Every structure is written in structure tokens, then in C-alpha cells.
């Protein structure tokens, strides 16, 4: 990134939570800490361009497109977010901003794109901050650490779990007594054992349709939920177990806590008022088949679920080939058009401008 650039592209990955964020307080503050793996292939690329406004007014001027087409609903959402930033970033009112965004995964893949797209937004806005307020770009590892931290905070403000997409391998979001630098306002990178540096995620597309109830509504239903306090306490304990399993390369603990978290999340939906479920019959059918196959194959694989019907099969590289064959031979009939995505842990965001090729910055 050079301070003279008038455009920058950020490629931000999605992430998959092992310990789930479910329930929030005012100001996008999580009710419990969460832990995620950063993905590699499921990404949003957003090019941010800025030029002085022709007609300088007080508001934000934004043009947003997705895969080359205007998206008025998304544009309005981002504009509202940027307007909320004007008091701390008055420079935003001087520019005409253009954001051109695209996902590397198909629109109908049933993968939530808010984590990667809002992480890209946080990064773009942080680049603008550095260019216009600090008049520099990060150079040293310490400056990069500061940059990622600021971008994570903005991504959180835009869409909670997006803040975890900023870091290589794995991240923790939410205050946790065992990790001094942990915060409710931004995510931090966490230590991952060498045997777990290349964990894989087979994303099984059970149903690619829009979900019936948004995450925002789901978080809201945790207010006054009969099991909310027990859930938040359990998530804190699960965070300790998950952090330790990731740091020590303890597969059994990681698999157990990951599945418990997925089931807790969906149990909260089943027991909220009104109740709902985002799982589909084929979600449960695939879980049953997986568990039976794991018994006999001894493969190191476990499942997790986002707020949707699709399964993420987290597994070690040593189990990858056997799992791929199992998915192709046994699970394909349960998947929408037989679709699945062969993803893995990644190195976090990439950026480039007209003068440079993609680079991971300070990672
Ligand atoms: O970041 P949101 O508001 O879309 O909520 C994400 C919630 C889960 O995906 C279900 C869990 C998580 O921690 O990612």
C-alpha cells in the first residue's frame, strides 16, 4: 500500500466458529467469547476507490457494486454504517467512495458472506484512515498489528463475527481471563499447535436457500431466553477447552467441544420463543452417516454448523483423502446438487493496489 494510491483491493476470508457467538449486548458486544478458524478459499474481494467529491456536501457519497451489478439494499446498509463513522472520520465526507465487491464462492452456495464482506469493509476503511488521518501505511510488524486490530474493531462494528476474519489460522473474540489481550471490541490471533496449522474444512451444501430467520433476529431471541445464562457460562468453559486443544494439538478435545458448540447453538434456536430450526432433515442424515463412518474409519473429523443447515466437516490433513471419498460416495445424494467446498485454514487477508501484487502484509 502506498499513501498516494487512490484505490486498494482487500481480499478477506470467511471464518468458521468452533465456539459460537450467539447473543449480544448493545453496541455489538458479545455475551460470550468465541473462537474460529480462518478459512482460505471462501473470500470477498473488495476494491475501494476514492476521489475528491465534485460537490462537497456533509454526507457520505458511495457507489457499491457486487459482481459488477449495483446492489441498492447492500449499498444503503454500508452507507448507513459509514455515516455512523462520520463523527470520528469527518474526512469521509470529502470523498466519493466506490466499492466493487465479489465473492470467490458462488452466491447460491449457502455460505454466509457477511464475515468476509464486512471484514473487507473494515480493512478498506482502516486503509482510508491510515491514508487520510495518519498519512502513512503500516510498515513494521507492530504497525501491522495495530492495523489489524483497528480493522477488526471496525469489522466487529459492521457485523460481529467478521472481526475474527482478520487473523491467520485462528482467532478469539471476546474477553476471556486466560488471554490477557482478549477484548469484546476486537478479535486477537491465538496460538495453534504445529499439527493443527493446516486443518481442513469440507463445507457441505445441504441447502443453499436464504434462511428463514436472520442471525440478527437469532441473537435477539437470546434476550430473555430461559437457558441464556447457562449457555453463556458453558461457552466460556468451552472457550478454555478449545484454546487449550488448539494450542496443544489435542484432537479428541477439539472435536468434542466443536460438536457440543454446534449442537448448543441449534438447541438455543429450538428452545427460543418463538422456536425455530435451521437444520434440515439432510443435515441430521449427514451427521448420522458421518458419525457411523468415523467409528469404523477412525478418521479425525468432526462437524460444526453455522446459523444455517450446511455442515462444516473440520478434519486433519491426514484424514482428507478418506473423507473426500466418503463424501463423494456416501453423502453426495444428501447435498444440494451434490455441492461441497474443499476449504482449509488460511493466512488471513491479502491486499494489493495498482503498484503491487497480493501480499499478506505483516502476517
Ligand atoms: O456475526 P453474526 O451476527 O452474523 O453472527 C454469527 C453467529 C454464528 O455464525 C452462528 C456464530 C459465530 O460465532 O460465527
Amino acid at each position: 500500500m502506498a499513501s498516494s494510491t487512490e484505490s486498494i483491493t482487500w481480499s478477506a476470508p470467511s471464518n468458521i466458529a468452533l465456539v459460537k457467538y450467539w447473543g449480544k449486548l448493545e453496541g455489538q458486544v458479545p455475551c460470550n467469547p468465541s473462537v474460529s478458524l480462518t478459512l482460505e478459499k471462501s473470500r470477498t474481494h473488495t476494491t475501494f476507490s476514492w476521489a475528491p467529491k465534485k460537490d462537497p456536501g456533509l454526507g457520505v457519497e458511495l457507489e457499491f457494486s457486487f459482481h459488477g451489478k449495483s446492489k441498492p439494499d447492500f449499498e444503503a446498509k454500508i452507507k448507513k454504517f459509514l455515516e455512523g463513522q462520520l463523527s470520528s472520520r469527518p474526512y469521509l465526507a470529502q470523498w466519493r467512495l466506490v466499492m466493487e465487491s465479489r465473492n470467490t464462492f458462488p452466491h447460491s452456495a449457502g455460505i454466509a458472506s457477511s464475515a468476509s464482506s464486512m471484514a473487507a469493509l473494515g480493512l478498506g476503511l482502516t486503509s482510508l484512515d491510515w491514508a487520510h488521518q495518519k498519512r502513512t501505511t503500516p510498515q513494521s510488524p507492530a504497525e501491522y498489528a495495530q492495523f489489524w486490530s483497528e480493522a477488526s474493531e471496525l469489522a466487529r462494528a459492521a457485523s460481529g463475527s467478521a472481526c475474527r476474519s482478520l487473523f491467520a489460522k485462528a482467532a478469539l473474540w471476546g474477553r476471556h481471563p486466560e488471554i490477557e489481550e482478549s477484548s469484546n471490541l476486537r478479535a486477537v490471533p491465538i496460538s495453534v499447535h504445529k499439527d493443527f496449522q493446516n486443518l481442513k474444512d469440507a463445507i457441505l451444501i445441504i441447502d443453499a436457500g436464504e434462511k428463514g430467520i436472520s442471525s440478527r433476529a437469532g441473537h435477539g431471541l437470546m434476550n430473555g431466553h430461559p437457558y441464556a445464562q447457562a449457555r453463556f457460562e458453558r461457552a466460556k468453559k468451552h472457550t478454555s477447552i478449545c484454546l487449550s486443544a488448539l494450542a496443544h494439538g489435542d484432537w479428541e478435545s477439539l472435536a468434542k467441544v466443536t460438536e457440543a458448540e454446534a449442537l448448543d447453538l441449534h438447541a438455543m434456536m429450538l428452545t427460543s420463543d418463538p422456536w425455530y430450526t435451521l437444520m434440515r432433515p439432510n443435515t441430521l442424515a449427514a451427521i448420522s452417516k458421518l458419525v457411523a463412518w468415523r467409528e469404523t474409519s477412525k478418521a479425525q473429523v468432526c462437524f460444526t454448523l453455522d446459523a444455517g443447515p450446511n455442515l462444516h466437516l473440520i478434519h486433519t490433513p491426514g484424514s482428507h483423502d478418506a473423507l473426500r471419498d466418503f463424501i463423494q460416495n456416501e453423502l453426495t445424494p444428501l447435498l444440494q446438487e451434490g455441492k461441497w467446498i474443499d476449504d482449509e485454514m488460511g493466512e488471513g487477508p491479502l491486499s494489493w493496489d495498482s503498484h503491487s501484487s497480493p501480499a499478506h502484509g505483516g502476517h
Side-chain angles (χ1 to χ4, degrees), residues 118-138:
M118 293 300 133
L121 175 64
L123 286 158
L125 194 47
T126 308
S127 289
L128 282 161
D129 277 356
W130 281 60
H132 296 113
Q133 291 184 326
K134 305 190 187 189
R135 307 225 167 260
T136 180
T137 55

PDB file of all heavy atoms in Angstrom, residues 118-138:
ATOM      1  N   MET A 118     -17.766  -8.014   5.434  1.00  0.00           N
ATOM      2  CA  MET A 118     -17.611  -6.959   6.443  1.00  0.00           C
ATOM      3  C   MET A 118     -16.170  -6.866   6.942  1.00  0.00           C
ATOM      4  O   MET A 118     -15.721  -5.807   7.366  1.00  0.00           O
ATOM      5  CB  MET A 118     -18.591  -7.173   7.598  1.00  0.00           C
ATOM      6  CG  MET A 118     -20.024  -6.984   7.175  1.00  0.00           C
ATOM      7  SD  MET A 118     -20.305  -5.299   6.523  1.00  0.00           S
ATOM      8  CE  MET A 118     -21.198  -5.634   5.044  1.00  0.00           C
ATOM      9  N   ALA A 119     -15.438  -7.977   6.872  1.00  0.00           N
ATOM     10  CA  ALA A 119     -14.002  -7.903   7.184  1.00  0.00           C
ATOM     11  C   ALA A 119     -13.303  -7.055   6.116  1.00  0.00           C
ATOM     12  O   ALA A 119     -12.463  -6.208   6.425  1.00  0.00           O
ATOM     13  CB  ALA A 119     -13.396  -9.300   7.240  1.00  0.00           C
ATOM     14  N   ALA A 120     -13.695  -7.260   4.841  1.00  0.00           N
ATOM     15  CA  ALA A 120     -13.104  -6.451   3.761  1.00  0.00           C
ATOM     16  C   ALA A 120     -13.453  -4.971   3.958  1.00  0.00           C
ATOM     17  O   ALA A 120     -12.604  -4.095   3.756  1.00  0.00           O
ATOM     18  CB  ALA A 120     -13.591  -6.948   2.401  1.00  0.00           C
ATOM     19  N   LEU A 121     -14.680  -4.701   4.394  1.00  0.00           N
ATOM     20  CA  LEU A 121     -15.074  -3.309   4.642  1.00  0.00           C
ATOM     21  C   LEU A 121     -14.223  -2.697   5.766  1.00  0.00           C
ATOM     22  O   LEU A 121     -13.739  -1.563   5.650  1.00  0.00           O
ATOM     23  CB  LEU A 121     -16.565  -3.250   5.012  1.00  0.00           C
ATOM     24  CG  LEU A 121     -17.113  -1.885   5.408  1.00  0.00           C
ATOM     25  CD1 LEU A 121     -17.035  -0.904   4.248  1.00  0.00           C
ATOM     26  CD2 LEU A 121     -18.566  -1.980   5.885  1.00  0.00           C
ATOM     27  N   GLY A 122     -14.039  -3.458   6.843  1.00  0.00           N
ATOM     28  CA  GLY A 122     -13.214  -2.971   7.962  1.00  0.00           C
ATOM     29  C   GLY A 122     -11.791  -2.665   7.508  1.00  0.00           C
ATOM     30  O   GLY A 122     -11.196  -1.655   7.898  1.00  0.00           O
ATOM     31  N   LEU A 123     -11.266  -3.529   6.658  1.00  0.00           N
ATOM     32  CA  LEU A 123      -9.896  -3.335   6.157  1.00  0.00           C
ATOM     33  C   LEU A 123      -9.822  -2.110   5.248  1.00  0.00           C
ATOM     34  O   LEU A 123      -8.884  -1.305   5.341  1.00  0.00           O
ATOM     35  CB  LEU A 123      -9.453  -4.583   5.390  1.00  0.00           C
ATOM     36  CG  LEU A 123      -9.130  -5.786   6.283  1.00  0.00           C
ATOM     37  CD1 LEU A 123      -9.240  -7.087   5.497  1.00  0.00           C
ATOM     38  CD2 LEU A 123      -7.731  -5.636   6.885  1.00  0.00           C
ATOM     39  N   GLY A 124     -10.823  -1.967   4.368  1.00  0.00           N
ATOM     40  CA  GLY A 124     -10.815  -0.820   3.448  1.00  0.00           C
ATOM     41  C   GLY A 124     -10.895   0.491   4.212  1.00  0.00           C
ATOM     42  O   GLY A 124     -10.155   1.441   3.927  1.00  0.00           O
ATOM     43  N   LEU A 125     -11.758   0.505   5.214  1.00  0.00           N
ATOM     44  CA  LEU A 125     -11.921   1.735   5.994  1.00  0.00           C
ATOM     45  C   LEU A 125     -10.650   2.034   6.792  1.00  0.00           C
ATOM     46  O   LEU A 125     -10.248   3.199   6.932  1.00  0.00           O
ATOM     47  CB  LEU A 125     -13.147   1.583   6.896  1.00  0.00           C
ATOM     48  CG  LEU A 125     -13.704   2.824   7.562  1.00  0.00           C
ATOM     49  CD1 LEU A 125     -13.848   3.993   6.591  1.00  0.00           C
ATOM     50  CD2 LEU A 125     -15.064   2.518   8.184  1.00  0.00           C
ATOM     51  N   THR A 126     -10.006   0.989   7.276  1.00  0.00           N
ATOM     52  CA  THR A 126      -8.745   1.205   8.013  1.00  0.00           C
ATOM     53  C   THR A 126      -7.668   1.734   7.065  1.00  0.00           C
ATOM     54  O   THR A 126      -6.882   2.610   7.437  1.00  0.00           O
ATOM     55  CB  THR A 126      -8.300  -0.104   8.703  1.00  0.00           C
ATOM     56  OG1 THR A 126      -9.397  -0.605   9.459  1.00  0.00           O
ATOM     57  CG2 THR A 126      -7.130   0.131   9.639  1.00  0.00           C
ATOM     58  N   SER A 127      -7.637   1.240   5.824  1.00  0.00           N
ATOM     59  CA  SER A 127      -6.690   1.782   4.840  1.00  0.00           C
ATOM     60  C   SER A 127      -6.961   3.265   4.600  1.00  0.00           C
ATOM     61  O   SER A 127      -6.037   4.072   4.512  1.00  0.00           O
ATOM     62  CB  SER A 127      -6.815   1.051   3.504  1.00  0.00           C
ATOM     63  OG  SER A 127      -6.301  -0.242   3.610  1.00  0.00           O
ATOM     64  N   LEU A 128      -8.257   3.608   4.492  1.00  0.00           N
ATOM     65  CA  LEU A 128      -8.606   5.023   4.302  1.00  0.00           C
ATOM     66  C   LEU A 128      -8.160   5.850   5.507  1.00  0.00           C
ATOM     67  O   LEU A 128      -7.615   6.941   5.351  1.00  0.00           O
ATOM     68  CB  LEU A 128     -10.119   5.163   4.111  1.00  0.00           C
ATOM     69  CG  LEU A 128     -10.644   4.795   2.731  1.00  0.00           C
ATOM     70  CD1 LEU A 128     -12.141   4.531   2.774  1.00  0.00           C
ATOM     71  CD2 LEU A 128     -10.365   5.907   1.744  1.00  0.00           C
ATOM     72  N   ASP A 129      -8.375   5.303   6.699  1.00  0.00           N
ATOM     73  CA  ASP A 129      -7.937   6.007   7.926  1.00  0.00           C
ATOM     74  C   ASP A 129      -6.448   6.301   7.872  1.00  0.00           C
ATOM     75  O   ASP A 129      -6.008   7.410   8.149  1.00  0.00           O
ATOM     76  CB  ASP A 129      -8.160   5.114   9.159  1.00  0.00           C
ATOM     77  CG  ASP A 129      -9.575   5.180   9.684  1.00  0.00           C
ATOM     78  OD1 ASP A 129     -10.372   5.963   9.159  1.00  0.00           O
ATOM     79  OD2 ASP A 129      -9.867   4.423  10.635  1.00  0.00           O
ATOM     80  N   TRP A 130      -5.700   5.261   7.555  1.00  0.00           N
ATOM     81  CA  TRP A 130      -4.239   5.435   7.574  1.00  0.00           C
ATOM     82  C   TRP A 130      -3.808   6.406   6.482  1.00  0.00           C
ATOM     83  O   TRP A 130      -2.918   7.232   6.687  1.00  0.00           O
ATOM     84  CB  TRP A 130      -3.523   4.084   7.428  1.00  0.00           C
ATOM     85  CG  TRP A 130      -3.494   3.327   8.730  1.00  0.00           C
ATOM     86  CD1 TRP A 130      -4.575   2.927   9.446  1.00  0.00           C
ATOM     87  CD2 TRP A 130      -2.343   2.928   9.485  1.00  0.00           C
ATOM     88  NE1 TRP A 130      -4.177   2.280  10.597  1.00  0.00           N
ATOM     89  CE2 TRP A 130      -2.806   2.268  10.640  1.00  0.00           C
ATOM     90  CE3 TRP A 130      -0.965   3.037   9.288  1.00  0.00           C
ATOM     91  CZ2 TRP A 130      -1.945   1.733  11.602  1.00  0.00           C
ATOM     92  CZ3 TRP A 130      -0.110   2.508  10.245  1.00  0.00           C
ATOM     93  CH2 TRP A 130      -0.595   1.867  11.391  1.00  0.00           C
ATOM     94  N   ALA A 131      -4.434   6.329   5.323  1.00  0.00           N
ATOM     95  CA  ALA A 131      -4.048   7.217   4.223  1.00  0.00           C
ATOM     96  C   ALA A 131      -4.412   8.672   4.523  1.00  0.00           C
ATOM     97  O   ALA A 131      -3.643   9.577   4.222  1.00  0.00           O
ATOM     98  CB  ALA A 131      -4.712   6.767   2.926  1.00  0.00           C
ATOM     99  N   HIS A 132      -5.568   8.881   5.139  1.00  0.00           N
ATOM    100  CA  HIS A 132      -6.037  10.266   5.281  1.00  0.00           C
ATOM    101  C   HIS A 132      -5.812  10.867   6.654  1.00  0.00           C
ATOM    102  O   HIS A 132      -5.700  12.072   6.771  1.00  0.00           O
ATOM    103  CB  HIS A 132      -7.523  10.344   4.914  1.00  0.00           C
ATOM    104  CG  HIS A 132      -7.739  10.001   3.485  1.00  0.00           C
ATOM    105  ND1 HIS A 132      -8.398   8.875   3.081  1.00  0.00           N
ATOM    106  CD2 HIS A 132      -7.307  10.606   2.359  1.00  0.00           C
ATOM    107  CE1 HIS A 132      -8.393   8.814   1.761  1.00  0.00           C
ATOM    108  NE2 HIS A 132      -7.727   9.849   1.309  1.00  0.00           N
ATOM    109  N   GLN A 133      -5.755  10.031   7.681  1.00  0.00           N
ATOM    110  CA  GLN A 133      -5.556  10.610   9.011  1.00  0.00           C
ATOM    111  C   GLN A 133      -4.094  10.516   9.418  1.00  0.00           C
ATOM    112  O   GLN A 133      -3.523  11.456   9.934  1.00  0.00           O
ATOM    113  CB  GLN A 133      -6.451   9.918  10.034  1.00  0.00           C
ATOM    114  CG  GLN A 133      -7.924  10.253   9.810  1.00  0.00           C
ATOM    115  CD  GLN A 133      -8.824   9.647  10.866  1.00  0.00           C
ATOM    116  OE1 GLN A 133      -8.558   8.563  11.365  1.00  0.00           O
ATOM    117  NE2 GLN A 133      -9.900  10.329  11.202  1.00  0.00           N
ATOM    118  N   LYS A 134      -3.481   9.362   9.174  1.00  0.00           N
ATOM    119  CA  LYS A 134      -2.085   9.201   9.614  1.00  0.00           C
ATOM    120  C   LYS A 134      -1.110   9.531   8.495  1.00  0.00           C
ATOM    121  O   LYS A 134       0.073   9.643   8.712  1.00  0.00           O
ATOM    122  CB  LYS A 134      -1.857   7.763  10.093  1.00  0.00           C
ATOM    123  CG  LYS A 134      -2.827   7.331  11.172  1.00  0.00           C
ATOM    124  CD  LYS A 134      -2.447   6.011  11.798  1.00  0.00           C
ATOM    125  CE  LYS A 134      -3.550   5.577  12.741  1.00  0.00           C
ATOM    126  NZ  LYS A 134      -3.275   4.460  13.571  1.00  0.00           N
ATOM    127  N   ARG A 135      -1.600   9.588   7.263  1.00  0.00           N
ATOM    128  CA  ARG A 135      -0.769   9.873   6.084  1.00  0.00           C
ATOM    129  C   ARG A 135       0.411   8.921   5.968  1.00  0.00           C
ATOM    130  O   ARG A 135       1.524   9.290   5.657  1.00  0.00           O
ATOM    131  CB  ARG A 135      -0.284  11.330   6.079  1.00  0.00           C
ATOM    132  CG  ARG A 135      -1.393  12.321   6.226  1.00  0.00           C
ATOM    133  CD  ARG A 135      -1.275  13.482   5.248  1.00  0.00           C
ATOM    134  NE  ARG A 135      -2.526  14.229   5.232  1.00  0.00           N
ATOM    135  CZ  ARG A 135      -3.443  14.085   4.292  1.00  0.00           C
ATOM    136  NH1 ARG A 135      -3.283  13.275   3.293  1.00  0.00           N
ATOM    137  NH2 ARG A 135      -4.565  14.789   4.352  1.00  0.00           N
ATOM    138  N   THR A 136       0.153   7.677   6.283  1.00  0.00           N
ATOM    139  CA  THR A 136       1.198   6.659   6.147  1.00  0.00           C
ATOM    140  C   THR A 136       0.524   5.310   5.939  1.00  0.00           C
ATOM    141  O   THR A 136      -0.693   5.214   5.906  1.00  0.00           O
ATOM    142  CB  THR A 136       2.117   6.647   7.391  1.00  0.00           C
ATOM    143  OG1 THR A 136       3.108   5.641   7.211  1.00  0.00           O
ATOM    144  CG2 THR A 136       1.342   6.337   8.660  1.00  0.00           C
ATOM    145  N   THR A 137       1.324   4.288   5.785  1.00  0.00           N
ATOM    146  CA  THR A 137       0.814   2.926   5.716  1.00  0.00           C
ATOM    147  C   THR A 137       1.597   2.093   6.725  1.00  0.00           C
ATOM    148  O   THR A 137       2.716   2.473   7.083  1.00  0.00           O
ATOM    149  CB  THR A 137       1.032   2.321   4.315  1.00  0.00           C
ATOM    150  OG1 THR A 137       2.423   2.421   4.014  1.00  0.00           O
ATOM    151  CG2 THR A 137       0.217   3.041   3.266  1.00  0.00           C
ATOM    152  N   PRO A 138       1.052   0.989   7.209  1.00  0.00           N
ATOM    153  CA  PRO A 138       1.818   0.203   8.173  1.00  0.00           C
ATOM    154  C   PRO A 138       3.093  -0.355   7.554  1.00  0.00           C
ATOM    155  O   PRO A 138       3.077  -0.777   6.405  1.00  0.00           O
ATOM    156  CB  PRO A 138       0.850  -0.915   8.579  1.00  0.00           C
ATOM    157  CG  PRO A 138      -0.230  -0.923   7.573  1.00  0.00           C
ATOM    158  CD  PRO A 138      -0.275   0.412   6.924  1.00  0.00           C
TER     159      PRO A 138
END
